[in-house]
Amino acid sequence: MAAVAVHSAVLGEGRPTLPYAEAGRPGGTPLVLVHGYLDSWWTFEPLLRRLLPGLHAYAPTQRGHGDADKPPDGYLPEDFAEDLVAFMDGVGIERAVLVGGSSGGVQARIVAGRRPDRVAGLVLLGVPAVLADKPRVVRFWETVRELRDPVDPALAAELVDGLTATPMGRGFLKTVVDENLKAPAHVWRETLRGLLETDLRATLSGILVPTLVVRGDMDPLLTREDQQTILDAIPDSRLLVYEGVGHLAYWEAPERVLRDLADFLTDRT
């Protein structure tokens, strides 16, 4: 199992300080793991602990989430994307493979489209093409739009309920919920507002880097048609479908994700 160290990255004046986890040997192929809505670096713990030799992974916690700084505003997808580039600058990563989990793939693909000089490849793990057409997300927004502190732990538990096809350990899910609850109500509200009101189809344009799309065939959120939208928009992209896996392949099948990531990197070189 790989050792995981947690550090802090100071992004500069006007930007938040972000904690980040790091695993792997210096000199390995750099990966930047980008978490989704309300998560923190901890969501990638199953990948980080199993990291393959030759890889060097960084998993920042984004503004407002986990133990990161929580400014009053700046929660549009493009704000997170700008933080991502600033994070790479701050820790000295010139070029990396961006691995986006769930909605974290939105800011990852914004960077890939706008700054291809910084992106060697893009991996999208259960990443939506769009969110505003997803009934479960729209129903959740009806609650979140009126949310106030303190956030009810039952709501955080509801957020992750049913996202995996196989049961996860009770202790693992408790940590996920605890991490989600570190985000105050305004972060729940404004981050989801940004994802719903931004034209997410437009964030798929201009991506020319090699892209791997991973979908679980039992994903309760994303349809095959949704993922086809991504494939149609990105010229150099391909799809892997995981049978018997839900929305979060990096929880349910971390070893397979890492094997397929290694194959993707080999094919890319």
Side-chain angles (χ1 to χ4, degrees):
M1 301 291 274
V4 179
V6 180
H7 313 286
S8 291
V10 181
L11 303 193
E13 186 176 355
R15 293 203 174 275
T17 295
L18 306 182
Y20 68 98
E22 183 177 6
R25 296 178 181 176
T29 300
L31 311 176
V32 177
L33 311 181
V34 189
H35 69 75
Y37 179 62
L38 299 181
D39 282 327
S40 68
W41 73 260
W42 199 89
T43 197
F44 291 116
E45 192 270 351
L47 291 183
L48 293 167
R49 291 289 183 192
R50 296 170 174 83
L51 199 67
L52 300 177
L55 301 178
H56 191 163
Y58 303 79
T61 295
Q62 299 175 78
R63 67 165 64 203
H65 295 66
D67 294 318
D69 286 350
K70 297 170 175 59
D73 51 24
Y75 295 101
L76 295 175
E78 63 185 41
D79 296 319
F80 290 114
E82 290 171 1
D83 282 351
L84 186 54
V85 175
F87 170 79
M88 293 174 65
D89 291 341
V91 298
I93 304 172
E94 292 186 7
R95 199 161 181 256
V97 174
L98 302 185
V99 181
S102 192
S103 64
V106 173
Q107 44 265 45
R109 71 197 193 206
I110 290 174
V111 175
R114 294 181 180 177
R115 296 298 306 273
D117 58 310
R118 307 298 300 272
V119 181
L122 181 64
V123 178
L124 303 177
L125 305 174
V127 175
V130 295
L131 271 177
D133 64 343
K134 307 296 187 293
R136 175 170 171 164
V137 177
V138 174
R139 288 195 301 271
F140 192 71
W141 169 242
E142 293 305 312
T143 298
V144 171
R145 69 191 304 174
E146 305 297 336
L147 196 62
R148 297 292 182 268
D149 291 314
V151 176
D152 186 348
L155 185 63
E158 176 187 336
L159 181 65
V160 299
D161 182 51
L163 290 182
T164 59
T166 54
M168 304 301 296
R170 190 172 297 177
F172 180 86
L173 290 177
K174 182 181 185 307
T175 302
V176 170
V177 169
D178 288 346
E179 288 295 296
N180 289 351
L181 289 171
K182 291 179 179 179
H186 79 274
V187 174
W188 285 61
R189 187 172 57 251
E190 296 311 313
T191 301
L192 187 54
R193 185 195 306 275
L195 287 166
L196 291 173
E197 295 183 356
T198 296
D199 182 358
L200 295 191
R201 288 181 186 271
T203 68
L204 290 166
S205 64
I207 301 174
L208 301 177
V209 302
T211 300
L212 177 65
V213 179
V214 173
R215 174 182 181 262
D217 71 343
M218 298 184 70
D219 191 326
L221 289 179
L222 308 183
T223 64
R224 177 63 176 80
E225 291 74 19
D226 178 271
Q227 300 293 272
Q228 189 62 46
T229 299
I230 297 176
L231 298 170
D232 291 343
I234 302 176
D236 188 4
S237 62
R238 62 188 178 95
L239 174 69
L240 291 179
V241 177
Y242 287 12
E243 294 185 2
V245 172
H247 182 59
L248 303 167
Y250 44 97
W251 289 4
E252 290 188 79
E255 293 94 347
R256 181 174 179 185
V257 169
L258 287 168
R259 289 196 305 270
D260 288 333
L261 177 56
D263 290 343
F264 172 70
L265 293 176
T266 300
D267 295 344
R268 190 180 49 81
T269 57

